[in-house]
Amino acid sequence: MPDGSGAARLGVLSRPGCVGLCEQCRIRGLAVCRALEPQALDELAALATRLELPAKKLLFDEGEPARSLFTLVEGVVKLYKALPDGRRQITGFLLPGDFLGLAHFTSYAYSAEAVTEVGLCRFPREGFLRLLERHPALERELLSRASSELAAAQEQMLLLGRKSAKERVASFLLSFARRQAMVGRELVALPMSRNDIADYLGLTIETVSRSIRAVEEEGLIRLVDRHHYRVVDPDRLRRAAAAG
Amino acid sequence: MPDGSGAARLGVLSRPGCVGLCEQCRIRGLAVCRALEPQALDELAALATRLELPAKKLLFDEGEPARSLFTLVEGVVKLYKALPDGRRQITGFLLPGDFLGLAHFTSYAYSAEAVTEVGLCRFPREGFLRLLERHPALERELLSRASSELAAAQEQMLLLGRKSAKERVASFLLSFARRQAMVGRELVALPMSRNDIADYLGLTIETVSRSIRAVEEEGLIRLVDRHHYRVVDPDRLRRAAAAG
DNA sequence: CGCGTTTTTGACAAATATCAATGCAGGTGG
DNA sequence: CCACCTGCATTGATATTTGTCAAAAACGCG
């Protein structure tokens, strides 16, 4: 079952500290250890440039020629589309292990911006596409991820089209906690601003703020501070999210 | 640029009457004439079962084991997800040439139902996946389509999260007309019910009805009858759709 | 032609957005 | 070290949009 989180439900979630430690994972994010033979892995590694960017840095903008593909190694990235008058819709938050930049056309269909400091691997489009042709396994992995993204996108459409504000917030808090595999006691980090959450859920910051408070007052979560929470009652949170 | 129509902006739009006429197109919908070598095409054809279904027939239901993949040859299909209490979100309308049933997991992530009478090709999952392994070109075609779907899904998230009722309706009328390549004088068929349009746009039927009327009264479209319209002023319609 | 279904229209209600303060926290400079 | 500043978040009062409920109209089918 997809969990509606917008990206990366692939079991490739980040293990902090893995980067630079595990030789196999040196190009993180491509589920490389799982899906690729060592040779393809090496070729990928040869292609990659390592990149560190500060929070709020724009990786690329909607409409710009798609020259690069990336895997996220560290931190959080948001993807979004905007209307001419400035209204924005965030279409997903990416966590370490996620892939971005696959454009069907020659330009990006969305913008990507670092939410926190991020570490990335950058692949030049041309080289990556050539590699793809030589390694069907890589192509299969991408297709698998794209299907998975598509399922998440559909879940998000259901949220945006049919859920109430409180249900949206509950869904988000639940699925974000799940992605960090921390539904139990663990503290969940919420690095993005209320504004980003609002733009992800199709609400205003005020409504997000009020809805988070409502969910907390019912005892479904506990807000430790503005950017950390615990899921107190996963079952009731799931019901509050209108999750099937 | 994606047009937000939810599926099939691949130039594989239907040419009425092609089915059964053109030998190459006998398995329509896989962009077969474009992307595949003749041998793969023949193998695909050998795998396919032809299917005719009446309107309102359920092809498959969310959660059901994904035993088949389909290409739509004739008619219109809707894909949707539902909440336990019955609220529904239609995630896309499929036109001839479109592909459906690619499940990342072993069960379908959404339901599919015939809007009109439909003609389909059905492929058993197992055989199709084996074929996929032998024909990287087919895999590439699917990846290309999945990327394209993803872009459309993101466009739809923008619509659902950030557009007003009138903008949603204008966007829908415009992109549906474009998909039928009929932005000019031509009559656009709108085979689905107001209810389906509402469930696609995240609105109620009443709001859809009023918004269509508003768009018509401004002279952007002309409603011939409930299920046919003409785009009168594409430019102003595009602006009303808040399209960038 | 009549009946069930879908669509449109209207009056009203509810959810969420908007506008306006206020509060809080982290960073900076005195 | 503290006070202030700045940006983000919360809270409150009100406005707007869209949803809900009810009825009439149009359509499609026997």
Side-chain angles (χ1 to χ4, degrees):
Chain A
M1 272 301 81
D3 69 354
S5 56
R9 288 118 267 95
L10 292 158
V12 199
L13 298 174
S14 66
R15 282 160 294 162
C18 173
V19 185
L21 290 180
C22 131
E23 175 66 2
Q24 279 296 77
C25 283
R26 124 193 83 134
I27 314 152
R28 281 282 295 292
L30 265 186
V32 125
C33 309
R34 223 187 72 201
L36 254 58
E37 60 268 38
Q39 194 206 335
L41 227 165
D42 288 339
E43 291 183 44
L44 249 185
L47 216 53
T49 319
R50 212 41 179 58
L51 222 64
E52 306 284 338
L53 298 175
K56 301 190 184 174
K57 182 79 181 180
L58 192 67
L59 302 195
F60 53 79
D61 209 0
E62 188 177 346
E64 186 176 299
R67 281 192 249 282
S68 304
L69 302 151
F70 303 87
T71 56
L72 181 57
V73 174
E74 190 69 54
V76 177
V77 165
K78 66 188 178 201
L79 307 183
Y80 62 89
K81 290 179 75 83
L83 292 172
D85 65 5
R87 282 175 286 173
R88 262 189 351 160
Q89 179 66 37
I90 291 181
T91 58
F93 292 108
L94 270 46
L95 294 186
D98 284 338
F99 185 80
L100 69 155
L102 237 204
H104 176 248
F105 305 93
T106 50
S107 47
Y108 297 115
Y110 50 84
S111 306
E113 187 184 311
V115 171
T116 63
E117 280 189 27
V118 296
L120 298 151
C121 281
R122 182 184 164 284
F123 308 94
R125 181 184 162 86
E126 290 308 318
F128 189 86
L129 293 183
R130 275 197 305 275
L131 194 80
L132 213 54
E133 287 182 23
R134 274 177 293 123
H135 295 283
L138 181 53
E139 194 143 48
R140 190 153 315 127
E141 176 64 19
L142 288 184
L143 180 57
S144 162
R145 286 181 176 230
S147 307
S148 167
E149 289 301 316
L150 212 37
Q154 288 166 342
E155 191 70 34
Q156 189 70 357
M157 287 190 236
L158 178 62
L159 178 150
L160 292 169
R162 290 305 185 204
K163 289 188 184 178
S164 72
K166 210 178 91 187
E167 289 168 339
R168 294 183 202 200
V169 164
S171 301
F172 172 66
L173 293 174
L174 181 62
S175 77
F176 203 73
R178 281 208 188 125
R179 279 178 72 187
Q180 296 186 28
M182 292 173 171
V183 173
R185 321 263 91 209
E186 298 297 340
L187 201 62
V188 185
L190 206 60
M192 67 291 287
S193 69
R194 294 293 188 264
N195 218 307
D196 284 346
I197 298 175
D199 282 344
Y200 181 57
L201 298 178
L203 300 169
T204 60
I205 52 174
E206 294 93 334
T207 300
V208 167
S209 186
R210 288 186 249 263
S211 302
I212 291 181
R213 159 158 291 261
V215 169
E216 176 170 36
E217 297 210 316
E218 287 182 34
L220 312 187
I221 64 154
R222 182 72 233 280
L223 212 53
V224 175
D225 66 46
R226 288 167 181 193
H227 292 288
H228 297 274
Y229 66 100
R230 263 176 245 279
V231 176
V232 173
D233 191 335
D235 273 7
R236 285 205 302 145
L237 185 58
R238 201 168 48 71
R239 280 197 295 276
Chain B
M1 275 294 89
D3 68 354
S5 55
R9 292 113 269 94
L10 291 156
V12 199
L13 298 174
S14 67
R15 284 160 292 164
C18 173
V19 185
L21 289 180
C22 128
E23 177 67 2
Q24 279 297 78
C25 284
R26 119 195 87 134
I27 315 155
R28 280 281 295 294
L30 266 184
V32 127
C33 309
R34 223 187 72 199
L36 256 56
E37 60 268 38
Q39 193 205 336
L41 227 165
D42 288 340
E43 292 182 45
L44 248 186
L47 215 54
T49 319
R50 211 44 177 54
L51 222 66
E52 304 285 338
L53 298 175
K56 300 192 185 173
K57 182 81 180 176
L58 192 67
L59 302 194
F60 52 79
D61 209 0
E62 187 177 345
E64 186 176 300
R67 282 193 247 282
S68 304
L69 302 150
F70 303 87
T71 55
L72 182 57
V73 174
E74 190 71 55
V76 177
V77 165
K78 65 188 177 201
L79 308 183
Y80 61 91
K81 289 179 77 80
L83 292 172
D85 65 5
R87 281 175 285 174
R88 260 188 354 160
Q89 179 65 40
I90 291 180
T91 57
F93 292 108
L94 271 47
L95 295 186
D98 284 337
F99 186 79
L100 71 153
L102 237 205
H104 176 248
F105 305 92
T106 51
S107 47
Y108 296 116
Y110 49 84
S111 307
E113 188 183 312
V115 172
T116 62
E117 280 190 27
V118 295
L120 298 152
C121 282
R122 181 184 165 282
F123 307 94
R125 182 182 162 85
E126 289 309 317
F128 189 86
L129 293 182
R130 275 196 305 274
L131 194 80
L132 213 54
E133 288 182 23
R134 272 177 294 124
H135 294 285
L138 182 52
E139 195 142 48
R140 189 153 316 126
E141 176 64 19
L142 287 184
L143 180 57
S144 162
R145 285 181 177 231
S147 308
S148 167
E149 290 299 317
L150 214 37
Q154 288 166 342
E155 190 71 34
Q156 189 70 357
M157 288 190 239
L158 179 61
L159 178 149
L160 292 169
R162 291 304 184 205
K163 289 188 184 177
S164 72
K166 210 178 93 188
E167 288 168 339
R168 295 183 200 199
V169 164
S171 301
F172 172 67
L173 294 174
L174 181 62
S175 77
F176 203 73
R178 280 207 189 127
R179 280 177 71 186
Q180 296 186 29
M182 292 172 171
V183 173
R185 321 263 91 209
E186 299 297 339
L187 201 60
V188 184
L190 206 59
M192 67 291 288
S193 69
R194 294 292 189 262
N195 218 306
D196 284 345
I197 298 175
D199 282 344
Y200 182 58
L201 299 178
L203 300 169
T204 59
I205 52 174
E206 293 93 334
T207 301
V208 167
S209 185
R210 287 186 249 262
S211 303
I212 291 179
R213 159 160 290 264
V215 169
E216 176 170 37
E217 296 210 319
E218 286 181 34
L220 312 187
I221 63 154
R222 182 74 231 281
L223 213 52
V224 175
D225 66 46
R226 289 166 181 194
H227 294 287
H228 298 272
Y229 66 99
R230 263 176 246 279
V231 175
V232 174
D233 191 334
D235 273 7
R236 285 206 301 147
L237 186 58
R238 202 168 47 72
R239 281 196 295 277

